[in-house]
């Protein structure tokens, strides 16, 4: 009788142990599959980029017309792209649009519904006023973009791009760490106090230097 009880007890323990081990193995397999998926996901997502060569500037007598083109170099479709553009003159006494503002919103919230992989698209254009008071002066152009990925569309992606333009010239250059202090305070305050596509913490992560 005792031997039968011990045999049944061992069988019960063995079955219980197998269930626990099976559960643990399933969990471990799921965990590593998830980690592998997260590691490979960026390789299959959209990736919207922008550089100096993607900005076309046409100089007229009274204005610079600026047309930015964004590229999707990723593997998936980018969706619902939105853009804002800000200008910050290096010289606080220079006013690029007669508004008297220290930071000027040049372009706001234009939407591109889809941007396919390996394609580029323009949001349209905006202009910078030219006259004898600002011609030749430098300003920072800040492009703030928001978009969703067609594969992982649970959260938006935010990107900011920083350039320098000499007003009246037909090209831009990347904003350097030497130029950054000339706009830091004004741009940071503006983004803190105004609703924008890119929250200020995105600006902090992208460009604030300790």
């Amino acid at each position: 009788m005792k031997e039968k009880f011990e045999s049944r007890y061992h069988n019960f323990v063995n079955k219980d142990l197998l269930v626990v081990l099976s559960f643990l193995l399933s969990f471990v397999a799921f965990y590593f599959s998830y980690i592998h998926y997260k590691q490979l996901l960026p390789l299959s997502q959209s990736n919207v980029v922008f550089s100096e060569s993607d900005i076309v500037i046409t100089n007229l007598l009274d204005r610079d017309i600026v047309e930015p083109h964004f590229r999707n170099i990723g593997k998936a479709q980018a969706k619902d792209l939105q853009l804002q553009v800000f200008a910050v003159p290096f010289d606080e006494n220079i006013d690029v649009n007669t508004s008297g503002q220290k930071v000027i919103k040049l372009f706001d919230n234009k939407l591109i519904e889809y941007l396919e992989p390996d394609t580029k698209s323009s949001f349209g254009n905006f202009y910078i006023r030219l006259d004898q008071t600002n011609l030749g002066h430098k300003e920072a152009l800040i492009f703030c973009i928001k978009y969703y990925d067609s594969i992982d569309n649970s959260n938006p992606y935010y990107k900011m791009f920083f350039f320098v333009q000499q007003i009246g010239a037909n090209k831009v250059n990347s904003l350097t760490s030497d130029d950054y202090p000339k706009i830091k305070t004004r741009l940071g305050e503006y983004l803190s106090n105004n609703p924008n596509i890119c929250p200020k913490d995105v600006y902090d992560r992208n460009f604030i230097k300790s």
Side-chain angles (χ1 to χ4, degrees):
M1 182 72 175
K2 183 178 178 181
E3 291 178 356
K4 288 184 179 179
F5 173 78
E6 289 179 348
S7 176
R8 290 176 181 174
Y9 174 76
H10 286 304
N11 288 337
F12 175 77
V13 170
N14 288 338
K15 289 180 180 178
D16 217 27
L17 183 61
L18 287 174
V19 170
V20 172
L21 287 175
S22 178
F23 174 79
L24 288 175
L25 289 173
S26 298
F27 177 79
V28 170
F30 171 80
Y31 174 78
F32 281 104
S33 296
Y34 176 76
I35 295 298
H36 186 62
Y37 166 77
K38 295 298 284 185
Q39 288 176 337
L40 293 179
L41 185 59
L43 301 178
S44 60
Q45 289 178 312
S46 56
N47 185 13
V48 179
V49 298
F50 187 47
S51 66
E52 296 99 323
S53 61
D54 297 311
I55 301 176
V56 178
I57 299 178
T58 303
N59 304 118
L60 302 180
L61 292 176
D62 63 342
R63 67 187 62 189
D64 288 339
I65 299 176
V66 182
E67 183 176 357
H69 295 83
F70 290 82
R71 294 175 285 122
N72 182 3
I73 62 171
K75 301 299 183 183
Q77 185 186 73
K79 305 190 304 181
D80 299 335
L81 292 86
Q82 295 175 274
L83 173 70
Q84 286 178 334
V85 183
F86 307 98
V88 188
F90 283 6
D91 186 342
E92 293 189 44
N93 298 314
I94 296 298
D95 184 2
V96 300
N97 71 341
T98 70
S99 68
Q101 296 174 331
K102 301 301 183 182
V103 176
I104 302 96
K105 186 184 292 184
L106 297 173
F107 194 90
D108 187 20
N109 214 14
K110 180 70 175 182
L111 180 69
I112 294 177
E113 190 172 2
Y114 298 109
L115 185 58
E116 300 291 343
D118 298 320
T119 61
K120 66 190 305 185
S121 182
S122 172
F123 282 86
N125 59 58
F126 58 90
Y127 74 90
I128 299 167
R129 178 184 60 86
L130 287 179
D131 60 30
Q132 294 304 313
T133 64
N134 66 3
L135 186 64
H137 287 274
K138 288 184 177 181
E139 64 180 355
L141 293 178
I142 298 95
F143 295 79
C144 176
I145 189 170
K146 171 186 175 182
Y147 67 94
Y148 289 85
D149 181 79
S150 59
I151 294 177
D152 181 20
N153 62 358
S154 55
N155 295 300
Y157 290 80
Y158 298 98
K159 291 187 178 181
M160 297 185 80
F161 305 91
F162 300 81
F163 302 99
V164 176
Q165 187 214 6
Q166 184 172 358
I167 299 174
N170 62 358
K171 66 176 184 177
V172 298
N173 296 304
S174 294
L175 186 71
T176 67
S177 57
D178 292 334
D179 292 328
Y180 171 65
K182 301 171 185 175
I183 68 165
K184 173 183 177 180
T185 301
R186 285 173 289 157
L187 182 59
E189 290 177 352
Y190 180 86
L191 294 177
S192 295
N193 298 325
N194 294 275
N196 299 291
I197 288 177
C198 287
K200 185 177 180 295
D201 67 308
V202 176
Y203 161 70
D204 293 342
R205 292 197 305 270
N206 272 267
F207 213 77
I208 283 186
K209 305 289 191 298
S210 57

